Amino acid sequence: MNPDCIEQTTCCIVGGGPAGALLSLLLARKGLRVTLLEGHKDFDREFRGDTLHPSAMEILDEIGLADPLLQLPHTKLRQLTLQTKSDSFIMVDLSVLKTRFPYITLMPQARFLEFITEQTQKYPGFKLLMGAHARELIMENGICCGVRYQDSNGQDHELRALLTVAADGRFSKLRKIAGLEPVKSSPPMDVLWFRLPKRPGDTLGFGGRIGQGHMLAILPREDHYQLGYVIFKGSHHALRGEGMEKFHRSLLSLAPEFADRVSSLQGWGQLSVLSVESSCLKQWHKPGLLFIGDAAHVMSPVGGVGINYAIQDAVVAANVLTGPLQRGKVSESDLAAVQKQRYFATRVIQTFQTFIQNRVIKTALNPAASFKPPALFRLPLLRALPARLIGFGFRKVHIEEK
């Protein structure tokens, strides 16, 4: 390889999502050299994970970024209500949490990532490479020593690093190259994700609707509604076969408020299918290589916790690895310590998601079943538990300033 195309850094992070972006910031703040490779040329694309929970906001507040972030356009979700034909109940009430941020902040993930990377670029040791595709791991004597990547012009490069962090999402290429296979569960549903316009004077709030064998999640944004129509796993093609007109009728049976705008949904190309998955690696690391975020564990969309667990992964990784990176030696036991702090918390929330999928969503999608909310959501003494799990996770994570 051309020597001009061989580069050096202390930490190479592959994937500019929430985990990779925040880890870059936390390491760069400590004076470390960090190179972040992002395969896309910009962040301006459709994301599904647009929720920042109290845990994420508290972390940002610890480094003085919560208030500046909240200057950007956003909306706040304090309660999540589930409504049936005959009743409604509060599924999650975040206002009971003792925090400065007793709500979920809804903000386009593209804006959040732009904000974080703009903050990171204030540090001289940080380098952001957009349109950079990691193609190979550099392996020497069984140790990962960086990656080979192709830039936006098609030029091949070799980036050598003391530590490589794979934060390249649920379809992680580095995970496949490393030969690691996550253990998967089988959620019972998929989600059709689409938008409808918002009109002046609209008062429709956040929540879910349950009909006879149908379920709809409603998330109001600044100028539109983001909607998730929940279906049984693998039933998308059958639904399409029934035609758009029948889909309109089903949608309006759940949310008749959209009768004056459902006609804007004219073709299936306006809907994207979120294939719901839940999985977790048994081992998140190899010598010189660490997996975090969706590359280590894919979350179900239940509770919208995926981005927040990715952020917590980044915080723990920074807490554990800053010292070893500064000393110039990262052992596999250091990497194992990151997994040890995050693995159990991840499995707890995935177990909670499985409970909701089987006890709430699966029942709601069965037209022959009579839906009743579990006691977990009906009894005031228990209602704080899902709020805490969704708001903070199994345990709070804090940035350690050493």
Side-chain angles (χ1 to χ4, degrees):
M1 177 170 289
N2 184 339
D4 293 338
C5 295
I6 299 177
E7 304 150 10
Q8 294 279 347
T9 190
T10 302
C11 183
C12 165
I13 300 175
V14 179
L22 189 66
L23 179 58
S24 297
L25 172 60
L26 297 178
L27 296 180
R29 287 177 70 246
K30 297 299 185 179
L32 291 163
R33 290 189 302 159
V34 181
T35 300
L36 175 61
L37 307 181
E38 166 54 40
H40 293 84
K41 294 184 179 181
D42 57 46
F43 295 119
D44 196 14
R45 56 193 186 276
E46 185 77 12
F47 290 95
R48 297 185 180 94
D50 291 348
T51 58
L52 294 169
H53 292 210
S55 60
M57 295 306 299
E58 286 192 351
I59 286 167
L60 293 171
D61 199 36
E62 290 174 358
I63 53 176
L65 294 182
D67 289 333
L69 180 72
L70 291 175
Q71 297 303 307
L72 300 176
H74 67 281
T75 50
K76 294 182 175 71
L77 166 59
R78 300 179 186 275
Q79 293 182 335
L80 179 60
T81 301
L82 200 57
Q83 184 175 322
T84 67
K85 291 280 188 181
S86 59
D87 198 8
S88 67
F89 66 95
I90 297 173
M91 190 171 179
V92 178
D93 185 2
L94 296 166
S95 66
V96 304
L97 299 177
K98 295 180 180 180
T99 174
R100 190 181 158 216
F101 310 97
Y103 50 79
I104 291 174
T105 304
L106 281 95
M107 175 183 295
Q109 192 179 125
R111 304 290 85 79
F112 172 70
L113 295 176
E114 289 168 353
F115 173 83
I116 294 296
T117 51
E118 285 169 4
Q119 299 298 318
T120 312
Q121 290 186 67
K122 297 176 182 178
Y123 299 94
F126 175 66
K127 187 175 184 180
L128 172 63
L129 299 176
M130 303 297 290
H133 295 271
R135 304 175 75 87
E136 297 178 57
L137 294 171
I138 302 172
M139 303 298 296
E140 295 179 357
N141 300 317
I143 300 172
C144 179
C145 301
V147 300
R148 294 184 180 92
Y149 72 92
Q150 189 175 81
D151 67 21
S152 57
N153 297 316
Q155 177 71 52
D156 291 325
H157 298 258
E158 187 170 285
L159 177 60
R160 292 185 160 267
L162 178 63
L163 173 66
T164 299
V165 178
D168 53 339
R170 63 166 54 199
F171 305 112
S172 172
K173 184 172 183 177
L174 296 191
R175 185 178 65 210
K176 184 176 181 180
I177 293 172
L180 297 177
E181 187 67 31
V183 177
K184 297 181 180 181
S185 61
S186 300
M189 80 284 193
D190 289 331
V191 180
L192 295 180
W193 205 244
F194 60 99
R195 295 182 178 189
L196 286 178
K198 197 173 184 181
R199 303 278 172 80
D202 279 353
T203 58
L204 190 60
F206 301 96
R209 302 285 180 89
I210 294 177
Q212 200 67 27
H214 306 288
M215 188 171 183
L216 181 71
I218 303 171
L219 291 85
R221 303 298 176 87
E222 289 292 312
D223 60 354
H224 67 276
Y225 288 99
Q226 192 78 53
L227 301 170
Y229 186 86
V230 186
I231 59 176
F232 271 121
K233 190 78 176 173
S235 64
H236 171 237
H237 293 294
L239 184 68
R240 288 188 63 161
E242 294 174 344
M244 181 59 70
E245 187 175 334
K246 183 172 181 179
F247 178 69
H248 284 179
R249 292 197 299 270
S250 177
L251 178 59
L252 293 178
S253 72
L254 293 167
E257 298 92 334
F258 293 135
D260 63 344
R261 69 202 77 177
V262 72
S263 60
S264 67
L265 203 60
Q266 298 181 347
W268 295 104
Q270 294 173 259
L271 296 83
S272 59
V273 182
L274 172 60
S275 180
V276 176
E277 179 184 323
S278 179
S279 65
C280 188
L281 286 175
K282 286 186 175 180
Q283 183 168 316
W284 297 15
H285 56 89
K286 285 192 168 185
L289 177 64
L290 174 69
F291 293 83
I292 62 172
D294 282 1
H297 49 75
V298 176
M299 300 294 192
S300 157
V302 170
V305 300
I307 180 175
N308 302 279
Y309 266 62
I311 286 172
Q312 290 183 344
D313 287 355
V315 172
V316 170
N319 289 345
V320 173
L321 300 175
T322 294
L325 286 167
Q326 289 173 333
R327 292 189 292 271
K329 184 175 177 58
V330 178
S331 68
E332 198 163 6
S333 63
D334 294 323
L335 303 181
V338 176
Q339 178 178 347
K340 184 176 181 181
Q341 289 192 37
R342 296 299 301 147
Y343 185 82
F344 183 71
T346 298
R347 297 300 295 135
V348 166
I349 197 67
Q350 287 182 328
T351 300
F352 172 71
Q353 290 179 318
T354 298
F355 170 81
I356 300 301
Q357 288 165 175
N358 291 332
R359 293 292 302 277
V360 177
I361 297 174
K362 193 173 182 178
T363 303
L365 293 179
N366 184 353
S370 177
F371 178 79
K372 292 182 180 180
L376 182 65
F377 303 109
R378 289 185 284 109
L379 301 178
L381 290 176
L382 297 178
R383 197 178 294 159
L385 178 59
R388 179 167 181 82
L389 277 175
I390 289 174
F392 297 121
F394 178 68
R395 64 169 66 91
K396 285 190 178 184
V397 168
H398 298 282
I399 295 171
E400 296 175 3
E401 298 287 4
K402 297 180 180 177

